Amino acid sequence: MTGILILLTYVAIFVVTWVVVTAVVGRALQGFNALKTVTFGDESAVTPNRSASIISVLTLFLIWGAFTGSALLPSFLHAPGPFKGDTQFTYTAEDGDGNRDDAIVFARVAEVGTDVEDPVAEGADEGFAKNDVVVAGAWRSELIRVDRNDEIGRDAGHKVVAINGEPIEPGGRVKIADGEVGMTPKGTLNFIPAKGLQMEPIWLPSPEAVWQRFLNVSTEGYQNFTLLEHLGYSLFRVVLGFLFGALVGIPLGYAMGLSGWFRGWFDPIVEFMRPVPPLALIPLVIIWAGIGESGKIILLFLAALWIMTIAARAGVSGVNITKVHAAYSLGASKWQLMRHVIMPNSLPEIFTGARVAMGVCWGTVVAAELVAAEVGAGMMIMVASRFQLTDIVIMGIILIGIIGFGIDILMRMAEKKLVPWKGRS
């Protein structure tokens, strides 16, 4: 329920922001590109709106803070939190002869892990049902064996038949002012304080908690390695596996794009391996190469190989035939045709494939480190998850995303610098 509400909140903020920006400042932000009537097939016609990107990121952090009760946000922006404090409810007990008596349960709800005193059972209880007390943690539930506190127990036919005057049966629940009271199949009461809409820190810590954990891991390290070593090992594996994949995949793709024999020979293998996810190869790679560094490099090599092969093949096949004819008419040799026509015109496709391959390799290395590694970002996340250190898990995910985004930006910059003719005839 909370996840659906978070999604709806994000969508609502997106719609409101889009309407406001479009209506108020949309015209002021329009440039020459807005005058174009053709957008499909023209990369320069649709460019990212930087203000929308900034607002989107801020919205994510706003929602994150709101549903975790972050101290970075004012309290009025917080989603309703779990109930904490004192409350009470009345239960109706019945003995074996059908006699009924009421008693009050005084409940106290506090932060998990804090020491609190038991509430006081006030009021007169002259019947066989006696007032009881219970202490529960926020986001937790607590069983209440009222039959042990009353004068008669289950051996005498004791059972609870109503909560606050509302009938209850085994397996049922009754809402009270600050939560619910359920009954187990065996007839034991279960006090469930209201959880609100905020996420429990063990499932989703606040932004400041993740930041504090980042500072601690940055200075003290984690699992005998520093944070830079964890990320550095992962990045080294990705770069090495990608380079091997590119060194083999690009020449293979060129050969498949220029020779019918090479294409016929390797096309079944490439098309067979292309839809196979790299993670499916992990067990086989472990059997063949073990759990050391060589196995991870081989897995990343295979992850990049087929992508780079297909990209190079598509780049060669997509060269404009008129350029080939023009080169031949000018007396170009086959090597000159390759050097000055085919290679430059295939580079845009190769760079696109390289960006995809780097992203796949980055995701694959994290998954590979989840299986077997002594150091790496994936290993750090795996170990933290075993001990329910969600702040480290989220910190690792954010760092992985930032590094992956940075890699993509660097690839775009390299493409813009090395292939300035992309998109031009």
Side-chain angles (χ1 to χ4, degrees), residues 213-214 216-238 293 296 300 362 365-366 368-370 372-384 392 395-397 399-400 403:
R213 177 64 74 171
F214 169 73
N216 293 340
V217 175
S218 298
T219 55
E220 302 174 5
Y222 187 71
Q223 293 294 313
N224 302 320
F225 291 94
T226 66
L227 181 60
L228 287 179
E229 287 176 327
H230 282 297
L231 299 177
Y233 269 95
S234 296
L235 192 57
F236 171 76
R237 293 161 181 158
V238 167
E293 291 299 318
K296 297 178 181 61
L300 296 173
W362 186 239
V365 71
V366 173
E369 291 169 350
L370 289 174
E374 295 181 356
V375 59
M379 172 268 179
M380 182 175 62
I381 292 175
M382 176 193 66
V383 175
I392 294 183
M395 178 199 71
I397 292 173
L399 290 176
I400 289 170
I403 293 175

Side-chain angles (χ1 to χ4, degrees), residues 1-190:
M1 183 63 184
T2 302
I4 296 176
L5 186 59
I6 291 175
L7 176 61
L8 293 177
T9 303
Y10 181 81
V11 172
I13 295 177
F14 164 76
V15 173
V16 172
T17 305
W18 182 81
V19 171
V20 171
V21 172
T22 303
V24 178
V25 296
R27 295 183 179 277
L29 296 177
Q30 289 180 355
F32 176 76
N33 289 338
L35 302 178
K36 294 188 177 184
T37 57
V38 178
T39 58
F40 297 103
D42 184 3
E43 275 193 44
S44 65
V46 179
T47 56
N49 188 308
R50 298 304 178 190
S51 60
S53 299
I54 294 173
I55 294 174
S56 176
V57 174
L58 292 178
T59 298
L60 291 175
F61 276 94
L62 174 65
I63 295 175
W64 182 9
F67 283 90
T68 55
S70 172
L72 301 176
L73 299 180
S75 57
F76 68 87
L77 290 178
H78 291 172
F83 170 75
K84 297 176 185 178
D86 294 341
T87 186
Q88 64 184 50
F89 62 89
T90 302
Y91 71 91
T92 302
E94 184 178 275
D95 61 14
D97 298 327
N99 300 316
R100 294 188 175 188
D101 190 23
D102 294 338
I104 302 174
V105 175
F106 297 88
R108 178 164 293 170
V109 183
E111 194 75 33
V112 176
T114 58
D115 294 329
V116 295
E117 297 182 355
D118 292 345
V120 179
E122 302 175 347
D125 47 358
E126 299 178 353
F128 64 86
K130 304 298 181 180
N131 295 342
D132 204 349
V133 297
V134 63
V135 176
W139 288 292
R140 299 290 192 271
S141 61
E142 193 70 28
L143 294 175
I144 311 171
R145 291 294 303 271
V146 294
D147 55 296
R148 294 181 178 178
N149 185 62
D150 294 346
E151 290 184 351
I152 59 175
R154 292 182 180 176
D155 54 347
H158 180 284
K159 63 179 180 179
V160 177
V161 296
I163 301 294
N164 287 345
E166 186 174 341
I168 188 172
E169 296 179 352
R173 285 189 177 187
V174 173
K175 289 186 177 296
I176 59 175
D178 301 303
E180 293 180 328
V181 176
M183 180 177 287
T184 68
K186 293 185 177 181
T188 302
L189 294 183
N190 186 27

Side-chain angles (χ1 to χ4, degrees), residues 283-330:
L284 190 60
V285 171
I286 291 177
I287 293 174
W288 286 350
I291 61 175
E293 291 299 318
S294 59
K296 297 178 181 61
I297 301 302
I298 292 174
L299 181 65
L300 296 173
F301 162 74
L302 294 175
L305 174 62
W306 316 118
I307 298 176
M308 296 307 300
T309 301
I310 293 173
R313 185 189 67 187
V316 174
S317 302
V319 175
N320 195 330
I321 191 64
T322 57
K323 295 182 179 180
V324 177
H325 291 164
Y328 274 133
S329 65
L330 294 174

